Amino acid sequence: MASSLTKDSASTPGTEKTFFGHPRGLATLFMTEMWERYSFYGMKALLPLYLIAPGGMSMSPTTATAIYSVYMSMVYLLAMPGGWMADRFWGPRKTVVIGASVVILGHITLALPSSASFFVGLALVALGSGLLKANISVMVGHLYKGPEDPRRDGGFTLFYIGINLGAFLAPLSIGTVGENVNWHFGFALAAVGMALGLAQFMLGSRHLSEQSSVVSQPATPEQRRSALRTGLIWLIVAAALYTLMGVTGNFADWALMPLIIAGLIIPIVVLARMKRDKDLSKLEQSKLSGYIWFFVVAAVFWMIYDQNGSTLSIFGKGSTTNNLLGFDFPTSWYQSLNPIFIMALAPVVASAWLWLNKRGKEPSTAVKFASSLSLIGISFAVFLIPLIDTANNGGRVSPMWLVAIYFIQTVGELCLSPVGLSLTTKMAPEKYSAQMMGVWFLAVTAGDSVTGLLTSPQLGVDLNNSGAVAVEAILAVIAGIGIWTSRKKVKQLMGSVN
């Protein structure tokens, strides 16, 4: 990594060196996010398997999928207040340090051999990830000279490689230890990963933009008191609600529902509040209207995509041979497929966008998003083949089916996720600079909350059913066609942003 740092005559924040032609601060954020994602994706690879394992929580696949989906939705839901805390109280840099510390505590709690502490640990990891996730992405944007900097999309794509390097290594180490040695040892290893990330961030923070320490909208004393009162009120309401569930014997059946409802309603409320904000200029309002189109597309995409850690993982556990060329491997290793494909393809895609841009032929953001939905729909159409085969004939199928599915999904992800991160920093109203990145992650919250609702005890939909998979595939393709046919209208709303 160090050999890639070369002298550059252009001035960049904090140093005259570059990281693959980008500000050197990108290297600090790259490594920090790599270790944070190592801890997060390692736990993610273990979570659904631990929930269904006889030596774990011994839950049904449908219940495990519901818990997994709600957990994922909460991680990204909490990115919104994480951005707000940075905007009003701490600034992005300090918020990242606090968030990383909470994640470490969460993984240590997960490592304790207790069912009660396990769910407390999940809550802490979700909270810490929410504080960290949006703000570290915002700091990537701070490294560049405005939305028109041509390196910006490429910088976010390189940052995305850091995410996926950590995600690739995590199942191979954390997953192996968790599945083959001890589940809780695996969770403890995730804590070590996050600790390394925090240490690296502290050592390399001098290369970051000074803007990353700025509290963009400092809270007044009255606003601080109001925030404290509101927080305490919601804490009391939540405690009373869950106590009532426990007393009436309904905790197991209804514990997830308030979180699911929050994950569905809060994104709508947040976007509606921003649209009603009269402080925004006419151009900012127009961009926000255009952004909502991309938000809905992303929610549909993530609803299907995030099942690679639940529906596809559970299918891999029960219906594939987990053997390739005579080598047996843990089910959690499937979670390394997507990141290794990302690392292989992301530089190619980033270079392709730049090459097309120089020739005036780069596809618009709307076309990229439409492509992502078509691809995620195709991936689930492919999933139908082994799903129907195992349902009709029994037995197990080749792991190459999952390899193919993950490959198609990865290409779709590269058309949406790094592009969406960059788009968010370009279209964010100044008033909501850090919070807007949290809004982007609310699309994941909305998508995963739909999955949580479908698999909740109240509905109990089996997403390993071929009928459900077919419906999702068709939905994705229809949504992709919808955004493609509306691309000119969306482009008008976006103003000068492509």
Side-chain angles (χ1 to χ4, degrees):
M1 196 73 67
S3 62
S4 68
L5 298 174
T6 58
K7 289 287 184 182
D8 184 2
S9 59
S11 177
T12 55
T15 182
E16 292 184 352
K17 293 184 177 181
T18 65
F19 176 68
F20 292 106
H22 293 267
R24 190 180 178 184
L26 184 62
T28 295
L29 300 176
F30 177 102
M31 293 297 293
T32 304
E33 184 71 345
M34 183 196 77
W35 283 114
E36 189 274 333
R37 293 291 91 181
Y38 172 86
S39 70
F40 175 79
Y41 281 100
M43 192 277 294
K44 175 186 171 183
L46 289 182
L47 180 57
L49 302 177
Y50 174 73
L51 293 174
I52 66 173
M57 304 292 281
S58 301
M59 294 179 176
S60 70
T62 301
T63 301
T65 299
I67 292 174
Y68 170 88
S69 300
V70 171
Y71 165 72
M72 291 293 291
S73 74
M74 289 300 104
V75 167
Y76 291 97
L77 174 63
L78 290 167
M80 185 66 194
W84 182 80
M85 292 297 292
D87 278 350
R88 293 302 184 98
F89 298 99
W90 298 327
R93 192 181 301 190
K94 185 176 181 180
T95 306
V96 164
V97 173
I98 294 171
S101 302
V102 175
V103 168
I104 294 170
L105 178 60
H107 283 302
I108 292 173
T109 306
L110 285 170
L112 301 175
S114 165
S115 298
S117 64
F118 179 82
F119 289 105
V120 172
L122 283 182
L124 288 171
V125 173
L127 176 61
S129 296
L131 290 171
L132 187 150
K133 184 66 178 167
N135 290 294
I136 200 166
S137 298
V138 167
M139 286 192 286
V140 174
H142 288 164
L143 297 172
Y144 297 94
K145 300 175 182 178
E148 303 307 320
D149 191 324
R151 302 175 300 168
R152 196 179 186 94
D153 279 8
F156 273 99
T157 300
L158 283 172
F159 178 70
Y160 214 61
I161 293 175
I163 292 174
N164 286 280
L165 180 59
F168 167 71
L169 296 172
L172 302 181
S173 51
I174 295 174
T176 301
V177 170
E179 283 194 76
N180 294 344
V181 181
N182 182 282
W183 295 107
H184 299 285
F185 287 175
F187 298 131
L189 186 56
V192 174
M194 186 67 261
L196 289 172
L198 177 58
Q200 194 279 334
F201 181 80
M202 299 293 288
L203 290 172
S205 61
R206 67 185 183 278
H207 299 301
L208 301 178
S209 167
E210 293 181 0
Q211 188 180 355
S212 296
S213 297
V214 174
V215 180
S216 61
Q217 299 285 331
T220 65
E222 176 54 34
Q223 288 172 331
R224 290 174 179 270
R225 289 191 292 270
S226 177
L228 180 59
R229 285 195 301 269
T230 302
L232 288 174
I233 289 172
W234 280 110
L235 181 61
I236 292 169
V237 169
L241 179 61
Y242 281 98
T243 299
L244 180 62
M245 289 181 189
V247 170
T248 59
N250 293 310
F251 187 88
D253 290 336
W254 289 95
L256 296 179
M257 191 54 65
L259 301 178
I260 292 171
I261 293 172
L264 292 172
I265 292 179
I266 290 176
I268 297 173
V269 171
V270 168
L271 287 170
R273 179 178 61 84
M274 287 185 176
K275 281 296 296 177
R276 293 196 306 267
D277 191 337
K278 296 182 179 179
D279 290 340
L280 302 187
S281 67
K282 184 177 179 180
L283 178 59
E284 288 178 325
Q285 283 286 358
S286 178
K287 288 182 178 180
L288 190 56
S289 296
Y291 187 80
I292 291 173
W293 283 80
F294 296 110
F295 182 92
V296 173
V297 170
V300 175
F301 178 89
W302 295 118
M303 178 189 73
I304 299 173
Y305 176 90
D306 270 351
Q307 291 178 50
N308 63 26
S310 55
T311 303
L312 290 179
S313 184
I314 292 170
F315 179 82
K317 180 69 174 178
S319 300
T320 63
T321 60
N322 287 358
N323 180 285
L324 193 61
L325 301 176
F327 176 74
D328 293 322
F329 55 88
T331 303
S332 56
W333 282 23
Y334 285 115
Q335 297 305 302
S336 286
L337 287 172
N338 170 258
I340 198 170
F341 289 147
I342 287 281
M343 290 185 288
L345 296 175
V348 177
V349 173
S351 297
W353 295 152
L354 187 59
W355 185 83
L356 289 169
N357 179 270
K358 289 179 179 178
R359 289 156 181 78
K361 296 181 179 180
E362 182 179 3
S364 68
T365 301
V367 173
K368 293 176 183 177
F369 270 53
S371 300
S372 73
L373 280 179
S374 297
L375 288 165
I376 202 71
I378 291 169
S379 76
F380 261 41
V382 173
F383 184 29
L384 281 171
I385 300 173
L387 198 57
I388 293 173
D389 181 46
T390 56
N392 293 338
N393 304 318
R396 293 174 178 263
V397 298
S398 168
M400 292 307 294
W401 283 109
L402 289 184
V403 173
I405 293 167
Y406 279 115
F407 179 83
I408 297 168
Q409 290 188 345
T410 298
V411 179
E413 182 184 0
L414 285 171
C415 290
L416 180 138
S417 193
V419 177
L421 286 170
S422 180
L423 177 75
T424 299
T425 63
K426 293 175 184 177
M427 297 182 69
E430 181 64 28
K431 183 177 180 179
Y432 300 111
S433 58
Q435 291 182 58
M436 199 65 183
M437 191 60 71
V439 173
W440 168 249
F441 293 124
L442 285 182
V444 185
T445 294
D448 283 330
S449 293
V450 172
T451 305
L453 179 63
L454 292 173
T455 54
S456 66
Q458 287 69 38
L459 297 183
V461 176
D462 180 7
L463 294 181
N464 265 314
N465 180 283
S466 58
V469 171
V471 168
E472 291 181 90
I474 293 170
L475 173 65
V477 173
I478 291 174
I481 294 173
I483 189 68
W484 185 81
T485 56
S486 303
R487 64 192 184 281
K488 291 182 180 179
K489 178 180 179 180
V490 175
K491 173 60 180 162
Q492 291 176 348
L493 293 171
M494 294 169 67
S496 62
V497 178
N498 184 32

